Amino acid sequence: LKLKRRDLVVPSVFLWRKAIEDVTANAPFQRLRKNLLLILQLLALLLVVFSLANPVVTAKRAGGKSTVVVLDASASMLAEDEPGSRFAKARRMASRIVDGMERGDSCAIVVAGARAWVALPFSSDRRAANRVLQTLGCTHAEAPIRDALLLAQSLCVNRTEPVILVISDGAFPPLDDVPGAARVRFSRVGQRNENAAIVAFEASRSARGQDEAFLRIANHGAAREGIVSITLEDRLVLAERVSLAPSSDRVFTFGMRLPSPGLLRAELDVTDDLAVDN
């Protein structure tokens, strides 16, 4: 590439530009000239090579918040000291949590009714979660809160910093430690505890042939009065007024005469927040 040339002294090189270009072309080392077309061609070539290489970038997606809402669906959640009921307020609280989810967040719903069950697995669909909430209702059973917490913890496996939110009135026995990595928070519903309930009912016939009914009535809250009525196959056989002391648990005995065997029903007519246990 390097040619040997003779050096000559001339008055001007104005007419020698062609010769200078030949010398430049034959130089072994020279700077690249700016050429837009060449740059575009190189970029196109790089894109083709990049696409053929099919590169894959492995990255860990930054996950959003994971929340499991545990709804207490026991009988006490039917108390009407909250607008609608305690359970209605619990559903409204859960709906606000769902509506507050941001992009990437997910929510699951566990119901503690007659048994603990998953109403909604983890989902980011706010509309679907609200539809599920509207279909939920209460039961007349005790809430298996511990089973619900165990179920919620199992849903949180492999989740980043999950949170379990229990919405309940707290009407359940003290809980032992529930194993799991998720943090458990408690949101209480219920403004007061004004309730009278029939907690036991038994009937027997004495040796003298006298029929007797035994009712155990627990009064939670202030003193109140009510009427106890007993029916035999929907036929009224007894009605008596009772006085209930505040925060009391008392057994009442009623004498009666039943004309025939049949199904007895006892009912307490009293003004309180929960009618299902009357």
Side-chain angles (χ1 to χ4, degrees):
L1 291 177
K2 189 174 181 180
L3 302 178
K4 292 182 179 181
R5 302 180 184 274
R6 289 184 304 139
D7 294 335
L8 297 177
V9 179
V10 295
S12 174
V13 294
F14 181 76
L15 300 177
W16 291 37
R17 294 189 180 276
K18 184 64 177 177
I20 295 174
E21 291 179 0
D22 292 340
V23 173
T24 304
N26 292 320
F29 302 104
Q30 54 183 309
R31 292 183 179 181
L32 290 176
R33 298 179 181 179
K34 293 182 179 179
N35 191 325
L36 180 60
L37 181 60
L38 176 62
I39 295 175
L40 294 176
Q41 290 174 342
L42 291 176
L43 288 176
L45 180 61
L46 286 175
L47 289 176
V48 172
V49 173
F50 192 75
S51 62
L52 292 176
N54 192 21
V56 177
V57 178
T58 303
K60 184 177 181 181
R61 182 179 63 89
K65 297 179 181 178
S66 299
T67 306
V68 182
V69 178
V70 177
L71 284 178
D72 184 350
S74 61
S76 62
M77 293 291 286
L78 292 171
E80 297 180 351
D81 56 337
E82 298 283 2
S85 67
R86 293 178 179 179
F87 189 75
K89 182 178 181 180
R91 287 194 307 185
R92 292 193 295 270
M93 294 172 63
S95 181
R96 286 196 295 268
I97 295 172
V98 170
D99 293 337
M101 289 194 306
E102 299 178 354
R103 186 179 182 88
D105 294 350
S106 59
C107 179
I109 301 173
V110 174
V111 180
R115 59 181 179 85
W117 59 285
V118 178
L120 178 73
F122 273 111
S123 173
S124 300
D125 190 340
R126 290 193 290 265
R127 291 184 179 180
N130 281 317
R131 284 197 300 267
V132 169
L133 287 172
Q134 294 304 315
T135 62
L136 299 179
C138 260
T139 65
H140 291 177
E142 295 181 0
I145 295 295
R146 178 177 172 80
D147 294 344
L149 286 176
L150 290 171
L151 185 57
Q153 290 284 6
S154 67
L155 293 176
C156 293
V157 176
N158 297 329
R159 292 273 170 173
T160 303
E161 298 182 356
V163 175
I164 299 174
L165 178 63
V166 181
I167 305 178
S168 170
D169 57 4
F172 50 84
L175 298 175
D176 299 331
D177 291 337
V178 178
R183 292 180 298 164
V184 180
R185 298 178 180 176
F186 184 84
S187 291
R188 187 184 181 91
V189 293
Q191 301 178 2
R192 58 182 179 267
N193 191 21
E194 294 294 333
N195 182 46
I198 297 176
V199 295
F201 177 37
E202 185 178 348
S204 65
R205 175 167 292 176
S206 65
R208 295 175 297 176
Q210 177 71 23
D211 297 315
E212 292 181 326
F214 306 92
L215 268 74
R216 180 184 168 194
I217 301 177
N219 179 33
H220 306 283
R224 69 188 78 238
E225 290 189 350
I227 297 177
V228 171
S229 60
I230 299 179
T231 57
L232 175 66
E233 300 292 349
D234 297 330
R235 175 184 174 186
L236 182 65
V237 295
L238 180 141
E240 288 195 18
R241 182 175 296 276
V242 294
S243 297
L244 305 175
S247 302
S248 61
D249 192 334
R250 179 183 170 187
V251 175
F252 294 86
T253 304
F254 303 100
M256 55 189 178
R257 184 171 295 277
L258 302 177
S260 61
L263 179 64
L264 287 176
R265 175 184 173 88
E267 184 173 350
L268 176 62
D269 186 3
V270 67
T271 301
D272 62 1
D273 292 330
L274 184 63
V276 70
D277 54 6
N278 291 355

